[in-house]
Amino acid sequence: MVNYALIELNERELKLSLFQSINGKYRLLEERSQPFKLGEEICQEELLRPKTKQDLVEVLKIYRRMIEIYKVEKIFAVASNILCKARNYHGFIDEIYNNTGISMEILSDDDVIKYVYDSTVASVDYSKGYLINIGAYSTNFVKYNRRTILASYTIPVGACKVSEDDASYSIDQLCEIATKHIEGIDLVSSIEEEAAFVGSGKAFISFGHIAKKIARYPLDLDNNYVVSKEVMDKTCDFIKGVELDRLKKIKGIEEAEAACIANELAIIKAFYNVLGAKEVTVTTASVRDGIMHANVALPSQEKFNDLLNNSLESYIAFHKNDHSINANVYSMALILFKQLKVMHKLPRYYVKPLRIAAMLYDSGKIINIDDYMKHGFEAILYSGIAGASHRELLIAAFTCVCQDLDNFSLAEWTKYKDILTEEDLDAVRKMGVIVKLADALNASKKPIITDIICDILGDSIIMKTVVEGDASFEIMEGMKVAVDYKRVFKKSLQII
């Protein structure tokens, strides 16, 4: 187990992120940030003021002490290339090193594109598409296919600045300015039909927060949130009539972000219009995670071949031990799903939610071991698992709850009626029993039962176990599920 630190100095803040890594998997341990209007200062004066330099160095000294407390083995320190516009930046870089021992690397536009792209394809499951990354003073537009960047462009508009002058413009006027820049990109004249569009950066996350309020979206999940053109238009119309102080009160909108919201919405609206996008998927991808993927995670082919599997393995690596049977429970649940197909009649779509629910069947124990099946709902929903849609995560979460059918609440289900379907309601009850049975058939914490063969005889079903050892305990535990099995599948269960 190795600890890493990442320091980022960008246009608006100085941030420290502390990570823990195990065998190419990593997780965020802690994050601290201090606001600095670095971009604004450099754009106005082309210099870093002595007070700003002093304050930055003092914060870096504090970060350095935190790094030592966490016994970090390697530090990554990067700065936005806007720093290069300050005539005294060379001396400042030396000053940082002399006072803290931290060597600061300045990122180029190509570096930012690469890191954000790597993070994007590790957070949303689109093998090809177009990425829009809105930064503070520039925006990147990237075309990719099969995990490879095909083309990228950078335009000089961003969250902090769209127009060349300091005049007060409306969102529609700012949108016209951004539109002219976007139309100048060669790629936009040949956008592929049914292309996937992905939006990254704080601008899209803030946009997503407001859009969820407008659409009355029941989930507080940022990554993989899909915003339709209709919701985007309603969000823009809403922002036009809202004062800045009210925007700051919206959950998830930082004060600095609220001040830039008109610029951000204008750029986003311009991209929707020019690209003819019907929807854009918001990602929480960032330079931070891109740097960690590039320097800590496994080689790209291993990382991205199965995004969901990589994400589940990362979760298991940090939350489970050598005695955990999560993989065995999933393997048995999949066997049962296939063997009982004639009874559950669920399409293949439900295999992915079943996979998540079975791999995280006991995730609720993180919250409380008592009633862990019920607590599994929150644990799965907010686990940060990538490679699954919000609907699939919800189905998996309710499946975990339905390991105990008495936990299921129709009132809770109704909250998500705009995302889930009637078929999903039937599915979570059936898959909940399947996962519960799969857990029981691994009661000895060893894969003693290697296969199941089912015979349906009238009003009953006989499960014949293929074993490697004495499976009497597993069979005894499995028969405890017979009552729930009959409630859902309407047949008596016998395991032999």
Side-chain angles (χ1 to χ4, degrees):
M1 193 174 294
V2 180
N3 289 347
Y4 294 89
L6 172 60
I7 296 171
E8 298 172 84
L9 176 60
N10 60 39
E11 295 85 350
R12 292 186 277 184
E13 64 183 350
L14 175 61
K15 185 165 65 175
L16 169 67
S17 303
L18 295 161
F19 294 89
Q20 186 178 71
S21 174
I22 303 175
N23 298 325
K25 312 293 183 183
Y26 69 88
R27 66 171 174 173
L28 182 66
L29 293 176
E30 189 169 349
E31 192 167 78
R32 289 285 184 269
S33 65
Q34 290 296 320
F36 285 94
K37 295 183 179 180
L38 197 70
E40 184 179 318
E41 183 175 314
I42 292 175
C43 287
Q44 288 175 354
E45 303 180 18
E46 295 186 358
L47 281 172
L48 284 166
R49 298 170 188 162
K51 179 68 165 60
T52 301
K53 292 193 294 180
Q54 180 183 346
D55 290 346
L56 284 166
V57 169
E58 289 305 314
V59 173
L60 284 169
K61 287 179 180 178
I62 296 170
Y63 286 175
R64 184 72 202 220
R65 289 198 291 272
M66 292 180 65
I67 287 169
E68 290 169 359
I69 290 171
Y70 275 87
K71 298 180 180 179
V72 165
E73 294 193 17
K74 187 172 180 59
I75 301 171
F76 304 104
V78 298
S80 167
N81 62 8
I82 199 169
L83 195 64
C84 297
K85 295 182 180 180
R87 296 193 301 273
N88 58 347
Y89 87 92
H90 282 295
F92 177 57
I93 295 294
D94 292 340
E95 191 175 340
I96 290 175
Y97 183 77
N98 293 335
N99 282 275
T100 66
I102 296 170
S103 180
M104 191 75 71
E105 175 191 354
I106 296 178
L107 299 177
S108 66
D109 286 337
D110 287 342
D111 291 331
V112 171
I113 290 169
K114 176 186 179 300
Y115 288 138
V116 174
Y117 161 75
D118 280 350
S119 181
T120 297
V121 294
S123 62
V124 292
D125 202 8
Y126 296 119
S127 61
K128 67 176 183 177
Y130 298 87
L131 168 64
I132 307 159
N133 176 54
I134 300 176
Y137 289 89
S138 63
T139 295
N140 312 118
F141 186 63
V142 181
K143 179 182 180 180
Y144 68 94
N145 186 13
R146 299 186 184 278
R147 311 300 186 187
T148 301
I149 295 176
L150 301 180
S152 64
Y153 298 84
T154 300
I155 57 177
V157 295
C160 295
K161 196 173 185 65
V162 173
S163 63
E164 291 297 325
D165 54 51
D166 294 324
S168 179
Y169 291 104
S170 67
I171 288 180
D172 290 335
Q173 290 170 324
L174 291 168
C175 182
E176 289 178 12
I177 296 170
T179 296
K180 292 177 182 177
H181 286 286
I182 297 169
E183 288 176 339
I185 299 174
D186 293 341
L187 276 182
V188 300
S189 61
S190 57
I191 296 296
E192 297 178 12
E193 290 186 17
E194 304 302 321
F197 297 104
V198 182
S200 67
K202 285 188 176 181
F204 271 102
I205 294 173
S206 296
F207 165 60
H209 285 157
I210 302 171
K212 280 181 278 191
K213 296 287 185 184
I214 301 300
R216 297 185 179 181
Y217 194 69
L219 285 176
D220 188 20
L221 294 176
D222 294 330
N223 192 59
N224 226 6
Y225 174 53
V226 181
V227 189
S228 68
K229 174 70 162 54
E230 180 185 4
V231 172
M232 184 278 296
D233 286 334
K234 288 181 179 179
T235 303
C236 286
D237 290 341
F238 169 77
I239 293 298
K240 291 175 185 178
V242 177
E243 294 179 356
L244 181 60
D245 288 340
R246 283 186 61 196
L247 283 177
K248 293 176 182 177
K249 295 177 182 178
I250 296 177
K251 183 181 178 182
I253 305 294
E254 299 174 7
E255 184 172 341
E257 210 64 33
C260 299
I261 204 72
N263 288 340
E264 295 171 349
L265 262 292
I267 297 170
I268 291 170
K269 184 175 182 179
F271 268 106
Y272 268 90
N273 293 340
V274 175
L275 300 177
K278 296 178 181 178
E279 61 184 33
V280 173
T281 300
V282 176
T283 173
T284 53
S286 64
V287 169
R288 181 197 72 182
D289 288 323
I291 290 173
M292 294 304 294
H293 276 286
N295 292 281
V296 177
L298 298 172
S300 60
Q301 277 302 108
E302 294 179 55
K303 283 189 294 182
F304 303 136
N305 273 349
D306 188 336
L307 183 55
L308 176 59
N309 183 64
N310 182 66
S311 189
L312 289 170
E313 286 184 353
S314 292
Y315 183 94
I316 297 299
F318 290 105
H319 294 94
K320 300 299 172 184
N321 54 43
D322 293 339
H323 303 295
S324 299
I325 58 169
N326 300 69
N328 295 342
V329 171
Y330 165 62
S331 179
M332 181 56 64
L334 189 60
I335 290 171
L336 291 170
F337 187 83
K338 291 177 180 177
Q339 285 290 320
L340 297 173
K341 186 176 181 180
V342 69
M343 295 186 66
H344 62 64
K345 300 176 182 177
L346 298 174
R348 185 166 179 78
Y349 170 83
Y350 290 101
V351 171
K352 185 185 283 189
L354 177 68
R355 182 181 187 182
I356 299 169
M359 286 292 286
L360 305 185
Y361 79 99
D362 60 348
S363 56
K365 292 179 180 179
I366 295 174
I367 301 172
N368 193 326
I369 196 167
D370 295 326
D371 291 329
Y372 72 86
M373 298 174 184
K374 179 173 65 178
H375 296 309
F377 182 84
E378 298 287 330
I380 288 177
L381 204 56
Y382 299 103
S383 61
I385 295 297
S389 68
H390 288 186
R391 180 188 168 200
E392 289 166 337
L393 284 173
L394 271 172
I395 293 170
F398 274 112
T399 296
C400 187
V401 169
C402 286
Q403 290 178 88
D404 183 346
L405 293 172
D406 292 334
N407 281 333
F408 181 78
S409 166
L410 190 59
E412 186 69 19
W413 178 271
T414 304
K415 293 180 183 178
Y416 309 100
K417 59 182 175 59
D418 293 335
I419 302 175
L420 300 169
T421 68
E422 285 296 321
E423 185 181 34
D424 296 336
L425 178 58
D426 178 54
V428 297
R429 290 167 58 83
K430 291 176 177 176
M431 293 195 298
V433 173
I434 287 174
V435 171
K436 185 176 184 178
L437 184 56
D439 177 27
L441 295 178
N442 282 280
S444 296
K445 306 295 183 182
K446 296 178 181 179
I448 294 174
I449 298 178
T450 60
D451 203 356
I452 293 285
I453 300 171
C454 294
D455 289 334
I456 301 173
L457 302 173
D459 292 334
S460 65
I461 182 168
I462 299 175
M463 291 187 178
K464 299 176 182 177
T465 59
V466 178
V467 304
E468 292 182 356
D470 181 5
S472 56
F473 183 47
E474 278 75 13
I475 292 172
M476 181 173 61
E477 289 297 300
M479 285 305 299
K480 291 179 181 179
V481 187
V483 174
D484 285 345
Y485 188 91
K486 189 165 187 177
R487 283 175 65 182
V488 172
F489 291 99
K490 312 303 180 187
K491 288 185 182 293
S492 299
L493 173 66
Q494 184 65 42
I495 304 174
I496 60 175

